[in-house]
Amino acid sequence: MVHNCVFCRIVAGELPSTKLYQDDLVTAFRDIHPVAPTHILIVPNRHMNSVNDVLPEDEPALGRMFVIARHLAEAEGISQLGYRLTINSGSHAGQVVFHLHMHLMGGQRMRHPLG
Ligand code: 5GP
Ligand code: ZN
Protein backbone atom coordinates (compact mmCIF):
# COMPACT_ATOMS: atom_id res chain seq x y z
CA MET A 1 0.00 0.00 0.00
CA VAL A 2 1.06 3.59 -0.66
CA HIS A 3 0.84 5.47 2.62
CA ASN A 4 0.14 8.92 1.18
CA CYS A 5 -2.57 7.56 -1.16
CA VAL A 6 -6.08 8.43 0.02
CA PHE A 7 -7.66 5.40 -1.68
CA CYS A 8 -5.05 2.97 -0.31
CA ARG A 9 -5.89 4.34 3.13
CA ILE A 10 -9.63 3.90 2.52
CA VAL A 11 -9.02 0.32 1.32
CA ALA A 12 -7.00 -0.33 4.50
CA GLY A 13 -9.70 1.23 6.69
CA GLU A 14 -7.34 3.96 7.89
CA LEU A 15 -9.61 6.70 6.49
CA PRO A 16 -13.40 6.74 6.90
CA SER A 17 -15.63 6.10 3.88
CA THR A 18 -19.08 4.77 3.13
CA LYS A 19 -17.89 1.33 2.05
CA LEU A 20 -20.44 -0.62 0.06
CA TYR A 21 -18.35 -3.65 -0.85
CA GLN A 22 -14.91 -5.10 -0.21
CA ASP A 23 -13.21 -8.37 -1.01
CA ASP A 24 -9.65 -9.54 -1.60
CA LEU A 25 -9.37 -7.70 -4.95
CA VAL A 26 -11.58 -4.61 -4.97
CA THR A 27 -13.28 -2.05 -2.74
CA ALA A 28 -16.33 0.15 -3.48
CA PHE A 29 -17.34 3.25 -1.55
CA ARG A 30 -19.40 6.40 -2.10
CA ASP A 31 -17.72 9.42 -3.68
CA ILE A 32 -17.30 12.19 -1.11
CA HIS A 33 -18.49 14.83 -3.65
CA PRO A 34 -21.21 13.09 -5.67
CA VAL A 35 -22.09 14.56 -9.06
CA ALA A 36 -25.14 12.31 -9.49
CA PRO A 37 -27.67 10.74 -7.08
CA THR A 38 -25.60 7.55 -7.24
CA HIS A 39 -21.85 8.17 -7.39
CA ILE A 40 -19.72 5.24 -6.27
CA LEU A 41 -16.00 4.62 -6.71
CA ILE A 42 -14.75 1.09 -7.36
CA VAL A 43 -11.01 0.60 -6.91
CA PRO A 44 -8.54 -2.26 -7.12
CA ASN A 45 -7.07 -2.93 -3.68
CA ARG A 46 -3.60 -3.01 -5.23
CA HIS A 47 -2.27 0.49 -5.78
CA MET A 48 -1.82 1.48 -9.41
CA ASN A 49 -1.51 5.13 -10.31
CA SER A 50 -3.60 4.96 -13.46
CA VAL A 51 -4.41 2.74 -16.42
CA ASN A 52 -0.77 3.33 -17.44
CA ASP A 53 0.25 0.97 -14.61
CA VAL A 54 -2.15 -1.88 -15.42
CA LEU A 55 -0.43 -5.27 -15.67
CA PRO A 56 -1.68 -8.60 -17.09
CA GLU A 57 -1.89 -9.96 -13.53
CA ASP A 58 -4.40 -7.20 -12.71
CA GLU A 59 -7.01 -8.76 -15.02
CA PRO A 60 -8.90 -10.51 -12.15
CA ALA A 61 -9.23 -7.26 -10.17
CA LEU A 62 -10.18 -5.21 -13.24
CA GLY A 63 -12.76 -7.80 -14.27
CA ARG A 64 -14.12 -7.91 -10.71
CA MET A 65 -14.63 -4.12 -10.85
CA PHE A 66 -17.17 -4.61 -13.68
CA VAL A 67 -18.98 -7.42 -11.87
CA ILE A 68 -19.27 -5.27 -8.74
CA ALA A 69 -20.36 -2.28 -10.84
CA ARG A 70 -23.16 -4.42 -12.24
CA HIS A 71 -24.26 -5.57 -8.76
CA LEU A 72 -24.09 -2.10 -7.23
CA ALA A 73 -26.07 -0.60 -10.14
CA GLU A 74 -28.76 -3.19 -9.47
CA ALA A 75 -28.66 -2.53 -5.71
CA GLU A 76 -29.00 1.22 -6.34
CA GLY A 77 -31.98 0.60 -8.63
CA ILE A 78 -30.38 2.30 -11.63
CA SER A 79 -29.53 -0.66 -13.84
CA GLN A 80 -32.61 -0.35 -16.06
CA LEU A 81 -32.56 3.41 -16.72
CA GLY A 82 -28.80 3.39 -17.08
CA TYR A 83 -25.57 4.55 -15.58
CA ARG A 84 -22.11 5.60 -16.59
CA LEU A 85 -18.78 3.94 -15.78
CA THR A 86 -15.83 6.30 -16.12
CA ILE A 87 -12.10 5.82 -15.61
CA ASN A 88 -10.12 9.04 -15.91
CA SER A 89 -6.47 8.37 -16.66
CA GLY A 90 -4.01 11.24 -16.49
CA SER A 91 -4.31 14.99 -16.20
CA HIS A 92 -5.93 15.65 -19.59
CA ALA A 93 -8.78 13.35 -18.51
CA GLY A 94 -9.12 15.19 -15.20
CA GLN A 95 -7.71 12.46 -12.96
CA VAL A 96 -7.17 13.94 -9.52
CA VAL A 97 -6.59 10.89 -7.32
CA PHE A 98 -3.76 8.76 -8.67
CA HIS A 99 -5.05 5.38 -7.51
CA LEU A 100 -6.94 3.87 -10.43
CA HIS A 101 -10.70 4.04 -9.86
CA MET A 102 -13.93 3.49 -11.75
CA HIS A 103 -16.77 5.99 -11.22
CA LEU A 104 -20.27 4.45 -11.20
CA MET A 105 -22.72 7.33 -11.74
CA GLY A 106 -26.48 7.30 -12.27
CA GLY A 107 -29.89 8.17 -10.94
CA GLN A 108 -30.42 11.05 -13.35
CA ARG A 109 -30.00 11.73 -17.05
CA MET A 110 -26.43 12.86 -17.65
CA ARG A 111 -25.02 15.04 -20.36
CA HIS A 112 -23.07 12.99 -22.86
CA PRO A 113 -19.33 13.45 -22.15
CA LEU A 114 -18.50 13.62 -25.86
CA GLY A 115 -21.10 16.35 -26.47
P1 5GP B 1 -10.86 11.59 -10.55
O1 5GP B 1 -11.05 13.01 -11.03
O2 5GP B 1 -9.47 11.35 -10.04
O3 5GP B 1 -11.31 10.59 -11.57
O4 5GP B 1 -11.87 11.43 -9.35
C1 5GP B 1 -11.51 11.41 -8.00
C2 5GP B 1 -12.79 11.32 -7.20
O5 5GP B 1 -12.43 10.96 -5.86
C3 5GP B 1 -13.58 12.61 -7.13
O6 5GP B 1 -14.91 12.37 -7.62
C4 5GP B 1 -13.57 12.97 -5.64
O7 5GP B 1 -14.79 13.53 -5.20
C5 5GP B 1 -13.29 11.63 -4.97
N1 5GP B 1 -12.59 11.71 -3.71
C6 5GP B 1 -11.44 12.42 -3.46
N2 5GP B 1 -11.03 12.24 -2.19
C7 5GP B 1 -11.94 11.40 -1.62
C8 5GP B 1 -12.06 10.85 -0.31
O8 5GP B 1 -11.26 11.09 0.59
N3 5GP B 1 -13.11 10.02 -0.08
C9 5GP B 1 -14.03 9.73 -1.06
N4 5GP B 1 -15.02 8.89 -0.71
N5 5GP B 1 -13.94 10.23 -2.30
C10 5GP B 1 -12.91 11.06 -2.58
ZN1 ZN C 1 -3.34 3.82 -3.64
Short mmCIF file of all heavy atoms in Angstrom, two decimals, residues 51-78:
data_model
loop_
_atom_site.label_atom_id
_atom_site.label_comp_id
_atom_site.label_asym_id
_atom_site.label_seq_id
_atom_site.Cartn_x
_atom_site.Cartn_y
_atom_site.Cartn_z
N VAL A 51 -4.37 3.84 -15.45
CA VAL A 51 -4.41 2.74 -16.42
C VAL A 51 -3.01 2.49 -16.98
O VAL A 51 -2.69 1.37 -17.37
CB VAL A 51 -5.44 3.05 -17.53
CG1 VAL A 51 -5.42 1.97 -18.61
CG2 VAL A 51 -6.85 3.18 -16.95
N ASN A 52 -2.15 3.50 -16.96
CA ASN A 52 -0.77 3.33 -17.44
C ASN A 52 -0.02 2.24 -16.67
O ASN A 52 0.97 1.70 -17.18
CB ASN A 52 0.02 4.63 -17.29
CG ASN A 52 -0.41 5.69 -18.27
OD1 ASN A 52 -1.15 5.40 -19.21
ND2 ASN A 52 0.03 6.91 -18.07
N ASP A 53 -0.46 1.95 -15.45
CA ASP A 53 0.25 0.97 -14.61
C ASP A 53 -0.39 -0.41 -14.62
O ASP A 53 0.05 -1.29 -13.88
CB ASP A 53 0.27 1.46 -13.15
CG ASP A 53 1.22 2.62 -12.95
OD1 ASP A 53 2.00 2.91 -13.88
OD2 ASP A 53 1.17 3.23 -11.87
N VAL A 54 -1.44 -0.60 -15.42
CA VAL A 54 -2.15 -1.88 -15.42
C VAL A 54 -1.25 -2.99 -15.98
O VAL A 54 -0.60 -2.81 -17.01
CB VAL A 54 -3.45 -1.75 -16.24
CG1 VAL A 54 -4.02 -3.11 -16.56
CG2 VAL A 54 -4.47 -0.90 -15.48
N LEU A 55 -1.23 -4.12 -15.27
CA LEU A 55 -0.43 -5.27 -15.67
C LEU A 55 -1.34 -6.45 -16.01
O LEU A 55 -2.49 -6.49 -15.54
CB LEU A 55 0.50 -5.69 -14.52
CG LEU A 55 1.52 -4.63 -14.07
CD1 LEU A 55 2.22 -5.09 -12.79
CD2 LEU A 55 2.52 -4.36 -15.18
N PRO A 56 -0.84 -7.42 -16.78
CA PRO A 56 -1.68 -8.60 -17.09
C PRO A 56 -2.21 -9.28 -15.83
O PRO A 56 -3.35 -9.75 -15.82
CB PRO A 56 -0.72 -9.52 -17.86
CG PRO A 56 0.26 -8.58 -18.49
CD PRO A 56 0.45 -7.45 -17.50
N GLU A 57 -1.42 -9.29 -14.76
CA GLU A 57 -1.89 -9.96 -13.53
C GLU A 57 -2.99 -9.18 -12.81
O GLU A 57 -3.55 -9.67 -11.84
CB GLU A 57 -0.73 -10.25 -12.58
CG GLU A 57 0.19 -9.10 -12.32
CD GLU A 57 1.43 -9.13 -13.20
OE1 GLU A 57 1.31 -9.40 -14.41
OE2 GLU A 57 2.53 -8.89 -12.66
N ASP A 58 -3.29 -7.97 -13.29
CA ASP A 58 -4.40 -7.20 -12.71
C ASP A 58 -5.75 -7.57 -13.33
O ASP A 58 -6.79 -7.05 -12.89
CB ASP A 58 -4.16 -5.69 -12.88
CG ASP A 58 -2.96 -5.22 -12.09
OD1 ASP A 58 -2.82 -5.63 -10.92
OD2 ASP A 58 -2.15 -4.43 -12.65
N GLU A 59 -5.74 -8.44 -14.34
CA GLU A 59 -7.01 -8.76 -15.02
C GLU A 59 -8.10 -9.24 -14.06
O GLU A 59 -9.25 -8.81 -14.20
CB GLU A 59 -6.78 -9.78 -16.14
CG GLU A 59 -6.11 -9.15 -17.34
CD GLU A 59 -5.85 -10.14 -18.47
OE1 GLU A 59 -6.45 -11.24 -18.45
OE2 GLU A 59 -5.05 -9.81 -19.35
N PRO A 60 -7.81 -10.10 -13.06
CA PRO A 60 -8.90 -10.51 -12.15
C PRO A 60 -9.51 -9.33 -11.40
O PRO A 60 -10.74 -9.23 -11.28
CB PRO A 60 -8.21 -11.49 -11.20
CG PRO A 60 -7.07 -12.04 -12.01
CD PRO A 60 -6.58 -10.89 -12.84
N ALA A 61 -8.69 -8.41 -10.91
CA ALA A 61 -9.23 -7.26 -10.17
C ALA A 61 -10.02 -6.35 -11.11
O ALA A 61 -11.10 -5.87 -10.75
CB ALA A 61 -8.10 -6.49 -9.50
N LEU A 62 -9.50 -6.12 -12.31
CA LEU A 62 -10.18 -5.21 -13.24
C LEU A 62 -11.49 -5.82 -13.71
O LEU A 62 -12.51 -5.12 -13.84
CB LEU A 62 -9.27 -4.88 -14.42
CG LEU A 62 -7.97 -4.17 -13.99
CD1 LEU A 62 -7.01 -4.04 -15.16
CD2 LEU A 62 -8.26 -2.80 -13.39
N GLY A 63 -11.51 -7.11 -13.92
CA GLY A 63 -12.76 -7.80 -14.27
C GLY A 63 -13.75 -7.74 -13.12
O GLY A 63 -14.95 -7.51 -13.33
N ARG A 64 -13.26 -7.95 -11.90
CA ARG A 64 -14.12 -7.91 -10.71
C ARG A 64 -14.77 -6.53 -10.58
O ARG A 64 -15.93 -6.43 -10.15
CB ARG A 64 -13.29 -8.23 -9.47
CG ARG A 64 -14.04 -8.30 -8.15
CD ARG A 64 -14.83 -9.57 -7.98
NE ARG A 64 -14.02 -10.77 -8.11
CZ ARG A 64 -13.31 -11.36 -7.14
NH1 ARG A 64 -13.31 -10.85 -5.92
NH2 ARG A 64 -12.62 -12.47 -7.37
N MET A 65 -14.06 -5.47 -10.95
CA MET A 65 -14.63 -4.12 -10.85
C MET A 65 -15.91 -4.02 -11.69
O MET A 65 -16.88 -3.39 -11.25
CB MET A 65 -13.61 -3.07 -11.31
CG MET A 65 -12.48 -2.86 -10.29
SD MET A 65 -11.04 -2.02 -10.96
CE MET A 65 -11.72 -0.41 -11.38
N PHE A 66 -15.95 -4.65 -12.85
CA PHE A 66 -17.17 -4.61 -13.68
C PHE A 66 -18.29 -5.43 -13.06
O PHE A 66 -19.46 -5.03 -13.10
CB PHE A 66 -16.87 -5.10 -15.10
CG PHE A 66 -16.29 -4.03 -15.98
CD1 PHE A 66 -14.92 -3.83 -16.05
CD2 PHE A 66 -17.12 -3.20 -16.72
CE1 PHE A 66 -14.38 -2.84 -16.84
CE2 PHE A 66 -16.58 -2.20 -17.53
CZ PHE A 66 -15.21 -2.01 -17.58
N VAL A 67 -17.94 -6.58 -12.49
CA VAL A 67 -18.98 -7.42 -11.87
C VAL A 67 -19.60 -6.68 -10.68
O VAL A 67 -20.82 -6.68 -10.51
CB VAL A 67 -18.38 -8.77 -11.44
CG1 VAL A 67 -19.41 -9.59 -10.68
CG2 VAL A 67 -17.88 -9.53 -12.65
N ILE A 68 -18.76 -6.02 -9.89
CA ILE A 68 -19.27 -5.27 -8.74
C ILE A 68 -20.05 -4.04 -9.20
O ILE A 68 -21.07 -3.68 -8.61
CB ILE A 68 -18.10 -4.90 -7.80
CG1 ILE A 68 -17.43 -6.17 -7.26
CG2 ILE A 68 -18.58 -4.03 -6.65
CD1 ILE A 68 -18.39 -7.22 -6.74
N ALA A 69 -19.60 -3.40 -10.28
CA ALA A 69 -20.36 -2.28 -10.84
C ALA A 69 -21.77 -2.74 -11.22
O ALA A 69 -22.76 -2.07 -10.93
CB ALA A 69 -19.64 -1.70 -12.06
N ARG A 70 -21.85 -3.89 -11.86
CA ARG A 70 -23.16 -4.42 -12.24
C ARG A 70 -24.03 -4.64 -11.01
O ARG A 70 -25.20 -4.23 -10.97
CB ARG A 70 -22.95 -5.73 -13.00
CG ARG A 70 -24.25 -6.36 -13.47
CD ARG A 70 -24.32 -7.84 -13.18
NE ARG A 70 -25.72 -8.27 -13.22
CZ ARG A 70 -26.14 -9.35 -13.87
NH1 ARG A 70 -25.30 -10.08 -14.54
NH2 ARG A 70 -27.42 -9.65 -13.82
N HIS A 71 -23.47 -5.28 -9.96
CA HIS A 71 -24.26 -5.57 -8.76
C HIS A 71 -24.67 -4.30 -8.03
O HIS A 71 -25.80 -4.19 -7.56
CB HIS A 71 -23.46 -6.49 -7.82
CG HIS A 71 -23.41 -7.90 -8.30
ND1 HIS A 71 -24.54 -8.63 -8.60
CD2 HIS A 71 -22.37 -8.73 -8.54
CE1 HIS A 71 -24.20 -9.84 -9.00
NE2 HIS A 71 -22.88 -9.93 -8.99
N LEU A 72 -23.76 -3.34 -7.95
CA LEU A 72 -24.09 -2.10 -7.23
C LEU A 72 -25.13 -1.29 -8.01
O LEU A 72 -26.01 -0.67 -7.40
CB LEU A 72 -22.83 -1.27 -6.98
CG LEU A 72 -21.89 -1.87 -5.92
CD1 LEU A 72 -20.58 -1.09 -5.86
CD2 LEU A 72 -22.54 -1.89 -4.54
N ALA A 73 -25.05 -1.29 -9.34
CA ALA A 73 -26.07 -0.60 -10.14
C ALA A 73 -27.44 -1.22 -9.89
O ALA A 73 -28.44 -0.50 -9.75
CB ALA A 73 -25.70 -0.66 -11.62
N GLU A 74 -27.49 -2.53 -9.77
CA GLU A 74 -28.76 -3.19 -9.47
C GLU A 74 -29.22 -2.82 -8.07
O GLU A 74 -30.40 -2.51 -7.85
CB GLU A 74 -28.60 -4.71 -9.61
CG GLU A 74 -28.49 -5.15 -11.06
CD GLU A 74 -28.15 -6.62 -11.25
OE1 GLU A 74 -28.01 -7.34 -10.23
OE2 GLU A 74 -28.01 -7.04 -12.40
N ALA A 75 -28.30 -2.85 -7.09
CA ALA A 75 -28.66 -2.53 -5.71
C ALA A 75 -29.14 -1.10 -5.56
O ALA A 75 -30.01 -0.81 -4.73
CB ALA A 75 -27.45 -2.77 -4.79
N GLU A 76 -28.61 -0.19 -6.39
CA GLU A 76 -29.00 1.22 -6.34
C GLU A 76 -30.28 1.48 -7.12
O GLU A 76 -30.81 2.60 -7.12
CB GLU A 76 -27.88 2.10 -6.90
CG GLU A 76 -26.60 2.09 -6.07
CD GLU A 76 -26.69 2.97 -4.83
OE1 GLU A 76 -27.04 4.14 -4.95
OE2 GLU A 76 -26.41 2.45 -3.72
N GLY A 77 -30.75 0.46 -7.86
CA GLY A 77 -31.98 0.60 -8.63
C GLY A 77 -31.83 1.42 -9.89
O GLY A 77 -32.79 2.02 -10.38
N ILE A 78 -30.62 1.46 -10.46
CA ILE A 78 -30.38 2.30 -11.63
C ILE A 78 -30.01 1.47 -12.86
O ILE A 78 -29.73 2.04 -13.92
CB ILE A 78 -29.26 3.35 -11.37
CG1 ILE A 78 -27.94 2.66 -11.01
CG2 ILE A 78 -29.69 4.31 -10.25
CD1 ILE A 78 -26.77 3.63 -10.90
#
